[in-house]
Amino acid sequence: MSKSFLFDFEFDSIRLSQAAEQILRWTKEDQHHCRYVVTPNVDHIVKLQTNKQLQAAYRHASMILADGWPLVWASRKFGRPLPERVAGSDLPAALFEHDLTKDRHTKPTQVFLLGAAPGIAAKASKNIQKKWGHIQVCGTYSPPLGFEKDPAENQKIIDRINLLSPDLLILGLGAPKQELWIKEHHQQLDVKVALCLGATIDFMAGHKSRAPRWMQKWGLEWTHRMLSEPKRLAKRYLYDAVQFPRILWREWRKTGRPV
Ligand code: UDP
């Protein structure tokens, strides 16, 4: 897979469909460790400047996909172009569409949904089953607040997942919690590939709405998210808007003039 070095990390320089194909290939491999995929946006890049644990989680990721137009724009300006934005929330549909396990003799792809508020993942599961009959959501779990600091609760989650050995684990715990959790536990998991996808379970359940396509196309998905959760997101986006230009400036000084 071709890589693009940006902000100290090796981004995968691929399109959504290629990412989906590669992830599906991994789910069919007979390997015994859980690979995981991260989908950075501007906020992740800002967090990565100071969060060493998040940096370590990123270094262990098997795939890094740019979920955010400013990152794709920067990659082009710095002469290390990414072909397109690959939104984490677009991944499940792309994977499910690409899934070729329609052969009745092959086991259907098993998916486990971890995260979102109680009841939401079950709704997402129903919607997935309705739309993609060949995908089997084998389990869902909404961990209680603060679960990540409780070893017994973490073990319970791992046991629950391992009992079902899913091909795909979708983590909807928000950043950086999902990345730190999977970095810490991926070696204990009997899962082929884990995907860190933020609010995607909420979107699949219809609990939160994604921005309309035209907004996504014009790089305005963040506006939609901020307007739908202003209390939680306005301060974060403001902070990121101040930090990101400084990060771009540092990147330019470190690795070369924009083209
Ligand atoms: N979430 C969760 N457990 C937690 C914290 C968050 O299940 O301990 C879920 C929350 O319910 C929501 C998602 O994580 O479904 C947050 O995703 P989002 O992408 O909005 O988070 P961000 O990374 O933007 O903070």
Side-chain angles (χ1 to χ4, degrees), residues 165-177:
S165 339
D167 302 301
L168 286 171
L169 169 64
I170 295 183
L171 292 150
L173 301 167
K177 196 175 286 188

Side-chain angles (χ1 to χ4, degrees), residues 115-117 145 147 172-175 177 198-199 202 208 225 229 232 236:
L145 262 177
F147 73 95
L173 301 167
K177 196 175 286 188
D202 294 291
K208 288 183 188 174
R225 289 216 63 194
E229 294 181 78
R232 188 170 81 91
R236 177 198 295 181

Side-chain angles (χ1 to χ4, degrees), residues 193-254:
V193 188
L195 310 170
C196 298
L197 300 185
T200 301
I201 299 174
D202 294 291
F203 295 142
M204 291 191 296
H207 181 64
K208 288 183 188 174
S209 70
R210 273 195 83 185
R213 278 280 158 201
W214 70 265
M215 283 185 106
Q216 294 179 34
K217 207 173 140 211
W218 286 93
L220 293 172
E221 191 156 19
W222 65 273
T223 325
H224 177 85
R225 289 216 63 194
M226 194 178 70
L227 292 174
S228 53
E229 294 181 78
K231 265 200 189 140
R232 188 170 81 91
L233 297 177
K235 218 166 105 187
R236 177 198 295 181
Y237 284 158
L238 198 66
Y239 181 75
D240 291 348
V242 174
Q243 294 301 320
F244 192 57
R246 295 156 79 136
I247 296 168
L248 287 175
W249 170 248
R250 272 206 304 274
E251 179 83 0
W252 173 44
R253 301 216 12 188
K254 211 162 55 186

Side-chain angles (χ1 to χ4, degrees), residues 15 77 112 150 197:
R15 296 183 180 278
K77 287 283 160 213
F112 192 105
D150 177 352
L197 300 185

Side-chain angles (χ1 to χ4, degrees), residues 106-159:
T106 329
K107 205 171 124 263
T109 297
Q110 308 273 321
V111 183
F112 192 105
L113 307 177
L114 178 65
I120 302 294
K123 264 195 210 153
S125 160
K126 268 197 199 139
N127 291 344
I128 293 171
Q129 307 281 191
K130 232 190 280 167
K131 198 157 177 195
W132 296 283
H134 58 293
I135 301 293
Q136 205 165 71
V137 180
C138 58
T140 64
Y141 185 55
S142 165
L145 262 177
F147 73 95
E148 70 280 11
K149 296 183 205 100
D150 177 352
E153 180 61 29
N154 284 321
Q155 193 55 52
K156 191 173 121 187
I157 296 172
I158 292 162
D159 292 344

